[in-house]
Amino acid sequence: MNFFVIGVNHKTAPVEVRERFAIPESRLPEATKMLATYPGIEEGMIVSTCNRVEMVARSVNGNADMRGFLKQLYNIDPAEYEQYLYEYRSTEAVRHMFRVASSLDSMVVGEPQILGQVKEAYATARAVGAVSSQLDALLTRAFAVAKRVRTDTSIASSSVSIASVAVELAKKIFGSLQGRSVYIVGAGKMCELAARHFVAHGVGKIYVANRTYERGVAFAKKFNGEAVPIEHLYETVDKADIVLSSTGAPVTIFRKEHGEKFLSRRKNRPMFFLDIAVPRDVDAKMNDLDGIFVYDIDDLQQVVQSHMSDRKEEAAHAEAIVNAEVEKFEERLRTLDVVPTIVSLQEHLETVRQAEIDRLRGRLGELSPEQEMAVDALTKGIINKIMHTPITTLKTAAKEPESTTVIELVRRIFNLHEKAKDETVKTGSPQSGPGK
């Protein structure tokens, strides 16, 4: 893993030093571009907040002169600030980013703002084309780890009601609720209490959809909101950043296919679902979608029951989650090394199969559609059996230190040509083939 992090934060540098490294928001895109195009660096992102300034990068060949970049960006001699700088590489860089996103490296452990700030830095980096493959995968996973930490621990909990916890969780996802829009499905007491908390925290717009439209109108008027007929729910709910649902419906009303459409129409801007209904209104599979955050009533009750004095214990739990996630991420990256070889093997054997069919087609004579299908199925079956052992061996070897040797051996046996490893998408899956 060719990841690097260099920076200063509240633990290593006083405010006057952090001020020297701070990058104004208006200059962040330009600085991020500089990082990504600096010699030896393939991808980059910069996080600049009041408590930390960090350069996160992936190098081309495992080497990156991060201090040289600081010299170029700030026109300083990094040696003057050496006592304040920290630098992480490879596994420790991954661990650091997971801890930062999870607010384990914050001045107040568990505070919600840092996740939003890292996401904003990520959005800036993507906008200028500075993040593409492995760094993209690292950051995407960091957000998932942060989500898991906040779901599986009570590290940031101090609220005392379901409604107030709902608002606090929304703030953890978005950093701030100022100007955010909320869509409330249902018009019961809990929905009204939650609406009051959302308004108190500065949300910009409240939509209300209820089975009885007139009741929805009355509810919306209390908060200067907008009532929506329930039959227009699916075509309008994606207007909101936050959806709070409590309908009493016997089955889920929001499913994974709905979430996919919402994200598409929102151009993948995140949505946060708070499901306080029993039975649940939101299918748990919605949580599998990147960009959709779902919390149900049990999640909220666990937070309510937690206490601030438990924060140290919860922080230890969170650290254990991070450590486990680092190992999983490393394993996934090692698996990526075998993906191009698997794809090459598939393409090579498919080419052989098609060539042999074409070569024998004249001798076979005219075939009926059923015969064509039989020949196709037969030859594909043979190829799949041939591929099974080398592909299984490659996937198993990906978890072991000798993976490079096995990859090279398979490529030599089948005379495969090299393919670029960056053919993989950010999730670590090949663009085609069974490794997907």
Side-chain angles (χ1 to χ4, degrees), residues 17 63 80 82 90 118 126 128 136 198 211 235 283 291 324 334 338 360 375 392:
V17 173
N63 295 310
E80 297 178 12
E82 190 64 33
S90 191
V118 175
R126 282 185 62 86
V128 300
D136 194 20
F198 279 121
R211 182 176 56 183
E235 61 194 75
D283 189 336
R334 287 196 298 269
V338 308
L360 294 173
V375 170
T392 301

Side-chain angles (χ1 to χ4, degrees), residues 107-226:
M107 183 176 289
V108 178
V109 173
E111 58 86 12
Q113 284 77 23
I114 186 60
L115 179 58
Q117 291 164 337
V118 175
K119 286 186 174 182
E120 289 173 4
Y122 169 67
T124 298
R126 282 185 62 86
V128 300
V131 169
S132 56
S133 59
Q134 290 189 26
L135 185 54
D136 194 20
L138 169 62
L139 295 168
T140 301
R141 194 62 213 158
F143 301 147
V145 172
K147 178 179 176 181
R148 182 185 169 195
V149 165
R150 295 191 180 280
T151 301
D152 293 359
T153 76
S154 301
I155 192 171
S157 171
S158 60
S159 299
V160 293
S161 73
I162 293 293
S164 60
V165 166
V167 174
E168 289 302 317
L169 288 174
K171 287 176 65 180
K172 290 170 187 174
I173 298 299
F174 293 106
S176 170
L177 298 186
Q178 291 292 326
R180 296 289 181 182
S181 53
V182 178
Y183 204 117
I184 296 179
V185 188
K189 291 182 179 179
M190 190 66 71
C191 289
E192 183 171 339
L193 182 58
R196 294 189 187 283
H197 279 284
F198 279 121
V199 169
H201 284 80
V203 297
K205 178 79 173 183
I206 288 184
Y207 300 91
V208 179
N210 190 59
R211 182 176 56 183
T212 304
Y213 180 66
E214 291 74 14
R215 187 176 179 186
V217 171
F219 184 108
K221 281 183 178 178
K222 295 178 181 179
F223 306 101
N224 295 318
E226 177 182 336

Side-chain angles (χ1 to χ4, degrees), residues 415-434:
N415 193 27
L416 303 178
H417 299 292
E418 282 294 330
K419 295 177 75 71
K421 291 182 181 179
D422 283 341
E423 288 178 352
T424 54
V425 294
K426 72 174 184 178
T427 58
S429 300
Q431 293 173 345
S432 61

Side-chain angles (χ1 to χ4, degrees), residues 5 10 13 20 22 35 95 134 155 190 195 215 229 257 301 311 316 336 340 356 375 379 400 415 432:
V5 175
H10 60 281
R20 179 67 183 87
L35 175 60
R95 190 186 317 280
Q134 290 189 26
I155 192 171
M190 190 66 71
R215 187 176 179 186
E257 59 267 27
Q301 285 177 338
R311 186 166 290 190
L336 287 184
E356 287 302 301
V375 170
T379 53
E400 305 297 336
N415 193 27
S432 61

Side-chain angles (χ1 to χ4, degrees), residues 363-431:
R363 293 164 56 183
L364 293 173
E366 186 174 349
L367 301 177
S368 67
E370 292 78 10
Q371 291 172 325
E372 287 278 3
M373 290 176 61
V375 170
D376 191 62
L378 174 65
T379 53
K380 281 184 177 178
I382 293 171
I383 292 301
N384 286 338
K385 288 187 185 316
I386 293 173
M387 286 194 297
H388 176 73
T389 298
I391 287 178
T392 301
T393 301
L394 284 166
K395 288 183 176 179
T396 301
K399 303 175 183 179
E400 305 297 336
E402 69 272 11
S403 60
T404 302
T405 302
V406 176
I407 291 170
E408 180 60 27
L409 182 59
V410 171
R411 300 194 76 89
R412 287 187 180 184
I413 290 173
F414 289 94
N415 193 27
L416 303 178
H417 299 292
E418 282 294 330
K419 295 177 75 71
K421 291 182 181 179
D422 283 341
E423 288 178 352
T424 54
V425 294
K426 72 174 184 178
T427 58
S429 300
Q431 293 173 345

